[in-house]
Amino acid sequence: MIYVVGSGAAGVACASALLDRGREVTILDVGLVLEPEIERQVEALAGKPRGTWSENDLRFMKAGTQTSTAGLAIKRVFGSDFTYRGTEKDLPLRMVGVATRPSFARGGLTTAWGGAVLPFHDDDIADWPVRLKDLEPHYRAVLQLMPFSAAHDDLEEPFPLYTDRPLGLDPSRQLRALLSDLSDGRQTLSANGIRFGSSRLAVQGRDGAKKSGCIYCGQCMYGCPFGYIYSAAQTLQRLLSRPGFHYQDQFVVKRVTESDAGVTLSVRDLRRNESLTITADRVYLAAGVLSTSRLLMASMDLYDSPVPMVSSQHFLLPWLRYRGTPNVAGEPLHTLAQAFIEIQDRDISPEFIHLQVYGYSDLYPRTLSGLSWGLLDRMSGLRDVLLSRLLIIQGYLHSKHSSQIRLTLRRAQGDTEPVLEVASEPRPLAAAMLRRLGHKLFHLRSVFRALPITPAMDLSAPGYGFHNGGTFPMALNAGPGQSDTSGRPYGFRRLHVVDGTVLPSIPATTITFSIMANAHRIGSLDV
């Protein structure tokens, strides 16, 4: 029996590849799910015509959502924090200056992500032992596991679509106007190392053959009542119908040991509150970088020895368009990223800087109200003018230029479990790079027809955005602290790591799509 630990993006992609090879596979998982009472409310909402939804119907979805100029505190799902709920008794954490978390949810962090799926560029993974050509067939395979909305545009040459027939999502009027202005300035933007296009999202759009797809209800930031935003839990559900696949939840894996006979997993059964061991022919770890790293450090007795983790640093920048778009709050739209802008300017960075552009969301008036102590609520005309022009850029830097994170597994004291300490190691390079980026966007403001509000640019704490990895990176000739190109940590033959833990660096251009492609690649290897 082959075991995969974790049901997130990497776990389901790896399991799918293993099943395609005829292997029998069991996913072990904690598998937290949405509370049943909230699930019932979601089902009731989805069963009502969109035009009949009231604010009272939507109140439960927005409960607990906190926003500021630094973004969402955490991205809840239908008002629930189940995505990040931990098992503190078994896997205690100590966070120091970081803004990241593990997930023990069924589907992992994809239960609450924004669905962005741009692949990596070969230039940005020059330090990897795996090249883009090795990942390309697996990008295509992953797109068979998820919905995909994209368009043929200027991004296609550096970032292929890896599908012949993408479905599209309609941009809002704000974003249509922006993309039109960018098209008018294409020559100038290209000369400045800037490409742009529609966002690429793991979201179910509509075509002539499909009756279901995004209805532009504007609630994306709270959760999709219809399940049109992809979650790995959807793939997991489909895998359950495949011969040779099994799923066991309510299990926490604590350690792994390897012998000639196979791999032994030391596991905590949360239902029975007991410890047990499971023997496997081969094991693939896909629990997410924090949980997988903890498991490897415990298994290797790497206590009180810091392990570096790389991160693609996140930032936010408001943009004010020269022209407003009336009635942005009344338009049917989706509120995920609607455009991507990719910048490759060696005066700023030799790697791509990735920008995701967001149009109107009902989070914006709430944030503006908090900033103005309610003044804008009393000056509705000025508030509406601002909202008609306001766009938000969510950006990422390559991990080479971002602050790092240090993981240290502190040895257990008495009857307590070892504590994983996750601490930031800030680097001034990221802030300096953002200043240069801000200057560039300001210089090109007439082309964008938008003014970047650079004093409000916010560089998030390390780990915010969850684009993390690289604690046991792949290498051609792997040594201690590294993994080979099959994801096997040094000293192991039957244990493979398939999540972000093995990525040598983290390019800016989203992470989940490439994690899935690499996990599918490793699961496809005949080892």
Side-chain angles (χ1 to χ4, degrees):
M1 175 70 73
I2 291 175
Y3 283 84
V4 174
V5 180
S7 66
V12 299
C14 180
S16 178
L18 290 165
L19 289 167
D20 288 344
R21 292 172 52 216
R23 302 300 191 263
E24 188 171 3
V25 179
T26 296
I27 285 184
L28 288 178
D29 196 25
V30 177
L32 301 181
V33 296
L34 188 66
E35 295 89 336
E37 61 272 20
I38 298 180
E39 184 67 46
R40 287 192 290 271
Q41 289 177 288
V42 173
E43 291 173 355
L45 184 67
K48 298 178 66 173
R50 166 68 182 93
T52 66
W53 291 359
S54 67
E55 280 303 312
N56 190 54
D57 291 329
L58 299 174
R59 187 170 290 117
F60 79 94
M61 296 177 61
K62 303 179 182 182
T65 298
Q66 299 177 1
T67 185
S68 69
T69 55
L72 291 171
I74 62 168
K75 192 169 185 289
R76 291 172 173 260
V77 182
F78 306 119
S80 172
D81 66 351
F82 83 96
T83 298
Y84 319 100
R85 211 168 288 152
T87 56
E88 282 296 311
K89 177 182 177 183
D90 291 285
L91 303 171
L93 289 165
R94 182 184 301 125
M95 300 293 191
V96 183
V98 297
T100 191
R101 305 173 184 219
S103 179
F104 302 101
R106 187 175 301 178
L109 288 169
T110 62
T111 58
W113 70 321
V117 285
L118 197 66
F120 290 163
H121 190 279
D122 215 28
D123 291 350
D124 285 355
I125 57 172
D127 57 338
W128 287 31
V130 173
R131 307 306 304 155
L132 187 64
K133 63 179 175 58
D134 302 311
L135 294 174
E136 284 179 333
H138 305 287
Y139 281 128
R140 293 184 179 276
V142 166
L143 291 180
Q144 301 301 309
L145 303 178
M146 63 166 64
F148 182 55
S149 292
H152 296 287
D153 53 33
D154 289 2
L155 293 178
E156 194 168 355
E157 193 241 317
F159 302 102
L161 289 171
Y162 298 114
T163 183
D164 299 325
R165 193 166 172 268
L167 296 178
L169 284 175
D170 296 332
S172 67
R173 289 177 296 125
Q174 275 184 315
L175 267 295
R176 281 201 298 271
L178 173 68
L179 289 169
S180 176
D181 288 342
L182 298 185
S183 295
D184 290 343
R186 178 182 283 108
Q187 187 172 351
T188 300
L189 294 174
S190 179
N192 281 271
I194 298 176
R195 292 177 181 265
F196 63 90
S198 297
S199 60
R200 300 186 191 175
L201 302 173
V203 174
Q204 179 62 59
R206 293 178 180 234
D207 67 5
K210 293 185 179 294
K211 296 181 180 179
S212 62
C214 179
I215 65 168
Y216 305 98
C217 68
Q219 305 305 312
C220 312
M221 290 299 176
Y222 309 107
C224 179
F226 306 98
Y228 294 145
I229 303 173
Y230 173 75
S231 165
Q234 297 169 357
T235 298
L236 176 65
Q237 188 63 36
R238 291 192 294 272
L239 293 180
L240 289 171
S241 65
R242 295 190 59 174
F245 180 76
H246 315 277
Y247 177 70
Q248 297 181 10
D249 63 356
Q250 297 295 306
F251 284 93
V252 174
V253 181
K254 298 290 194 70
R255 291 177 65 94
V256 292
T257 56
E258 189 177 287
S259 67
D260 291 340
V263 183
T264 300
L265 301 168
S266 299
V267 174
R268 185 75 177 167
D269 184 335
L270 299 178
R271 282 197 181 90
R272 296 178 175 82
N273 193 28
E274 63 183 21
S275 298
L276 64 151
T277 59
I278 296 174
T279 301
D281 297 322
R282 199 169 289 275
V283 171
Y284 293 79
L285 299 183
V289 61
L290 292 179
S291 297
T292 293
S293 297
R294 173 203 285 273
L295 178 53
L296 289 173
M297 294 162 77
S299 302
M300 298 175 183
D301 290 324
L302 290 178
Y303 293 101
D304 303 313
S305 299
V307 173
M309 182 169 85
V310 297
S311 179
S312 167
Q313 197 144 9
H314 172 276
F315 62 92
L316 289 176
L317 173 66
W319 247 1
L320 279 181
R321 293 275 288 154
Y322 288 175
R323 298 189 309 274
T325 303
N327 192 32
V328 290
E331 178 185 0
L333 44 68
H334 75 84
T335 54
L336 300 175
Q338 296 200 34
F340 288 169
I341 298 174
E342 311 305 323
I343 302 176
Q344 194 177 39
D345 180 347
R346 294 190 176 276
D347 290 336
I348 302 176
S349 168
E351 287 80 26
F352 281 95
I353 296 173
H354 174 68
L355 308 181
Q356 298 179 181
V357 186
Y358 293 76
Y360 174 81
S361 161
D362 68 357
L363 293 171
Y364 297 175
R366 293 168 57 184
T367 304
L368 289 175
S369 179
L371 288 174
S372 64
W373 298 279
L375 179 64
L376 287 177
D377 294 338
R378 296 190 294 273
M379 301 174 64
S380 58
L382 177 57
R383 181 198 61 196
D384 292 344
V385 167
L386 284 173
L387 291 174
S388 74
R389 288 166 166 77
L390 180 62
L391 302 176
I392 298 296
I393 292 176
Q394 178 174 263
Y396 290 90
L397 303 176
H398 195 285
S399 62
K400 291 180 182 178
H401 314 298
S402 303
S403 297
Q404 288 190 319
I405 298 171
R406 180 184 67 253
L407 304 186
T408 309
L409 188 61
R410 300 299 184 186
R411 197 175 293 276
Q413 302 296 320
D415 294 333
T416 65
E417 291 287 332
V419 176
L420 182 66
E421 182 180 280
V422 186
S424 65
E425 292 186 339
R427 299 171 67 192
L429 183 60
M433 188 172 290
L434 285 191
R435 285 193 294 272
R436 294 196 295 272
L437 173 63
H439 292 154
K440 184 181 185 74
L441 296 178
F442 182 81
H443 176 71
L444 293 169
R445 63 192 182 279
S446 62
V447 183
F448 290 116
R449 296 174 190 169
L451 180 68
I453 313 302
T454 51
M457 183 182 288
D458 185 85
L459 181 63
S460 304
Y464 188 96
F466 300 94
H467 293 198
N468 309 315
T471 46
F472 292 85
M474 293 183 295
L476 280 177
N477 298 298
Q482 297 176 318
S483 303
D484 66 14
T485 56
S486 300
R488 292 178 293 199
Y490 180 76
F492 288 89
R493 293 181 298 112
R494 296 171 178 263
L495 176 70
H496 304 256
V497 181
V498 300
D499 57 27
T501 301
V502 296
L503 305 188
S505 59
I506 311 294
T509 52
T510 82
I511 188 172
T512 304
F513 190 26
S514 295
I515 283 179
M516 293 182 76
N518 191 55
H520 191 276
R521 179 190 66 82
I522 293 174
S524 300
L525 296 175
D526 188 12
V527 290

